[in-house]
Amino acid sequence: MGKGGEQGGGTGECEKPLAVYSWEEIQKHNVKKDQWLVIERKVYNISEWVRRHPGGSRVIGHYAGEDATDPFRAFHPDHQFVQKFLKPLLIGELAPGEPSQDRDKNAQQVEDFRALRKTAEEMGLFSANPVFFSLYLAHILLLEVLAWLILWYYGTGWIPTMITIILLTTSQAQAGWLQHDFGHLSVFKKSSWNHVVHKFVIGHLKGASANWWNHRHFQHHAKPNIFRKDPDVNMLHVFVLGDTQPVEYGKKKLKYLPYNRQHEYFFLIGPPLLIPIYFTIQIIKTMIDRRDWVDLVWSFSYYTRYFCTYIPFYGVLGSLLFLNIVRFFESHWFVWVTQMNHIAMEIDNEKYRDWLSCQLAATCNIKQSFFNDWFSGHLNFQIEHHLFPTMPRHNYHKIAPLVKSLCTKYGVNYEEKPMLKAFKDIVTSLKKSGDLWLDAYLHK
């Protein structure tokens, strides 16, 4: 393949020159047991190490055969620390004549996005405000305390019970947004501190698993709305999404459910059941299957605290019913907020876009207001969050104008809409996909 330049070692001795590779060669190494990727023109063989990747094997494997420079920067706040893990995996570099980007990506657009990231770093937008996150945690804990105080003082009548359900639903939804911040390492400078508090918030305050969330959610960020890579669009044959999947199902005469009615049964099996049934079972199963005892202990601490708190008021069965009612309402909150930014956007097979284009094709924003910021945990700035996942959420509005300007320069669609329209678009999108399926099923 040719030879790269020699590297000087710290002792003055000459190291073996790096091998050089073409994109054609690199792209051949994109299968499960043979994975190479490129970061800043350096070629790394991650085939064996991928199983030890802290973020999970799948998220890094999704970039096998590609340039992974921008996702590497996006997911790792401490680049120097991560470099020590990369060094043993280095096998070469791109040949001098090879472009830095694979598959004819717009090199100038990529460079301008990287310049934007550098500008954000210089503006201090990756530094968190400790007061913001302290107050946010405090308001969640206050809601939990108020819920108990209402039952203690007023008893378990219908009105106190309904008020308590509202308070606990709100605290659970807001704890979900807060664990999201720690999971993305966007609060503390030290990743280890983020990991510890993440386990506390998602485990002790919500009863879920930090590792389950990390391995699932990071894949979504790496390849949003990409079939077979983003688990959030793996609908287990319950729904068909986008424009291509419905046609494929229709042509193959696949009819697990009447997909032309999916915009209707969505209200019955989507928001009501995701957290109380699907996520709860998946989380427990994942922790047991993977023998994730640490997360299991954190989760157990949540259920212990919950039942010790509410069994004196409602008894065992009553407390279990009470818990699932809270999760029933929280599930609605979660589904509508998380899907309003994605499900109406492009959902398709892998197209190997650059980081900016990939994220903008799959995400949209919701107009800013104090309520929208609070209600969605600042996920109304979904575009900025996807481009800079380790940026503290209170800084999204500061970088948004610069992102808009960059998108305008290169003709990248930057979509922003009111929240109610975004909710409506979820249903409209499901109906459109269902109609495509029916047409293909009957006529193709």
Side-chain angles (χ1 to χ4, degrees):
M1 293 294 297
K3 301 292 182 182
E6 294 184 354
Q7 294 181 317
T11 61
E13 297 179 1
C14 292
E15 296 182 2
K16 182 180 178 181
L18 288 174
V20 295
Y21 300 98
S22 66
W23 277 116
E24 182 180 5
E25 173 65 22
I26 294 166
Q27 288 165 10
K28 294 176 183 177
H29 301 272
N30 67 345
V31 295
K32 187 173 182 179
K33 294 185 178 181
D34 181 18
Q35 299 182 346
W36 294 6
L37 52 73
V38 176
I39 299 174
E40 296 175 346
R41 295 189 64 87
K42 302 297 184 183
V43 182
Y44 299 91
N45 184 346
I46 62 170
S47 305
E48 296 297 326
W49 184 80
V50 69
R51 290 172 293 179
R52 302 196 300 274
H53 181 234
S57 61
R58 292 182 180 179
V59 63
I60 190 172
H62 290 337
Y63 275 91
E66 295 184 59
D67 175 56
T69 303
D70 291 312
F72 171 78
R73 293 174 175 174
F75 290 128
H76 304 100
D78 189 345
H79 300 162
Q80 296 303 317
F81 174 76
V82 180
Q83 283 291 342
K84 71 178 185 179
F85 296 100
L86 287 176
K87 189 174 181 180
L89 310 177
L90 180 65
I91 59 171
E93 60 187 0
L94 287 173
E98 290 289 321
S100 296
Q101 302 303 317
D102 58 295
R103 296 178 173 86
D104 299 319
K105 294 173 183 173
N106 187 330
Q108 190 57 55
Q109 177 178 307
V110 171
E111 289 305 313
D112 282 357
F113 172 74
R114 292 174 182 173
L116 173 60
R117 182 180 178 86
K118 185 176 181 181
T119 298
E121 292 171 350
E122 293 170 350
M123 292 171 64
L125 298 186
F126 288 91
S127 296
N129 181 348
V131 175
F132 173 87
F133 288 106
S134 297
L135 291 176
Y136 207 92
L137 176 59
H139 107 285
I140 293 169
L141 298 177
L142 178 62
L143 289 169
E144 295 271 350
V145 172
L146 285 175
W148 178 82
L149 284 174
I150 285 174
L151 294 179
W152 176 76
Y153 189 80
Y154 291 103
T156 57
W158 279 104
I159 293 178
T161 295
M162 291 306 299
I163 294 174
T164 301
I165 287 172
I166 293 171
L167 291 174
L168 289 179
T169 298
T170 304
S171 71
Q172 285 296 290
Q174 293 299 324
W177 308 145
L178 184 61
Q179 69 82 21
H180 181 263
D181 297 311
F182 290 105
H184 275 295
L185 313 179
S186 65
V187 181
F188 297 111
K189 290 185 178 180
K190 289 189 176 182
S191 296
S192 58
W193 293 7
N194 284 296
H195 290 313
V196 170
V197 183
H198 184 215
K199 288 186 181 295
F200 168 76
V201 177
I202 196 172
H204 185 68
L205 295 186
K206 291 190 62 61
S209 164
N211 288 337
W212 167 84
W213 184 89
N214 287 340
H215 293 171
R216 179 185 177 94
H217 191 66
F218 291 163
Q219 290 184 74
H220 162 70
H221 269 269
K223 294 288 186 177
N225 284 12
I226 303 297
F227 290 124
R228 289 177 288 278
K229 293 188 176 181
D230 179 0
D232 287 1
V233 295
N234 176 14
M235 293 295 170
L236 303 174
H237 307 303
V238 176
F239 300 100
V240 288
L241 303 177
D243 294 339
T244 58
Q245 187 186 56
V247 175
E248 291 174 3
Y249 271 51
K251 287 181 176 179
K252 295 177 181 178
K253 309 306 177 187
L254 298 177
K255 187 182 179 181
Y256 297 95
L257 287 168
Y259 298 121
N260 56 309
R261 310 300 293 271
Q262 65 178 7
H263 61 291
E264 297 171 349
Y265 66 69
F266 167 77
F267 291 92
L268 300 176
I269 64 176
L273 302 182
L274 183 66
I275 290 179
I277 304 298
Y278 178 67
F279 273 5
T280 299
I281 293 173
Q282 188 184 63
I283 289 168
I284 295 173
K285 183 178 184 301
T286 300
M287 289 190 292
I288 294 173
D289 288 348
R290 295 180 179 176
R291 298 181 181 181
D292 192 349
W293 308 127
V294 173
D295 279 11
L296 200 59
V297 169
W298 276 111
S299 180
F300 182 75
S301 75
Y302 162 80
Y303 287 103
T304 301
R305 175 177 62 86
Y306 172 83
F307 285 113
C308 286
T309 301
Y310 291 102
I311 283 177
F313 295 109
Y314 296 108
V316 176
L317 294 180
S319 297
L320 189 60
L321 176 63
F322 188 70
L323 172 64
N324 281 283
I325 291 173
V326 170
R327 287 185 168 174
F328 170 83
F329 288 112
E330 181 203 354
S331 189
H332 282 79
W333 190 332
F334 175 82
V335 170
W336 287 101
V337 168
T338 56
Q339 296 309 307
M340 69 183 181
N341 304 104
H342 292 298
I343 205 167
M345 304 302 289
E346 179 183 298
I347 304 174
D348 209 338
N349 297 311
E350 178 65 86
K351 293 189 176 180
Y352 300 104
R353 293 184 170 113
D354 63 87
W355 184 252
L356 178 71
S357 301
C358 173
Q359 302 300 331
L360 268 292
T363 57
C364 68
N365 276 6
I366 309 303
K367 289 187 179 297
Q368 184 187 21
S369 69
F370 177 82
F371 174 79
N372 287 356
D373 290 351
W374 174 83
F375 184 76
S376 68
H378 288 84
L379 293 182
N380 50 327
F381 286 97
Q382 191 75 217
I383 291 172
E384 288 70 30
H385 170 58
H386 266 253
L387 292 175
F388 310 105
T390 60
M391 180 180 288
R393 63 159 113 159
H394 53 70
N395 288 332
Y396 292 157
H397 73 281
K398 298 177 183 178
I399 196 65
L402 300 180
V403 174
K404 286 183 184 179
S405 178
L406 180 62
C407 291
T408 300
K409 178 179 179 180
Y410 289 100
V412 178
N413 183 39
Y414 184 105
E415 188 170 345
E416 186 178 45
K417 62 182 76 170
M419 183 176 286
L420 291 181
K421 183 181 186 303
F423 289 164
K424 180 182 177 182
D425 286 349
I426 294 174
V427 181
T428 302
S429 174
L430 289 171
K431 185 178 187 306
K432 177 186 174 185
S433 297
D435 290 342
L436 288 171
W437 168 81
L438 182 62
D439 179 68
Y441 186 83
L442 295 177
H443 305 298
K444 296 181 182 179

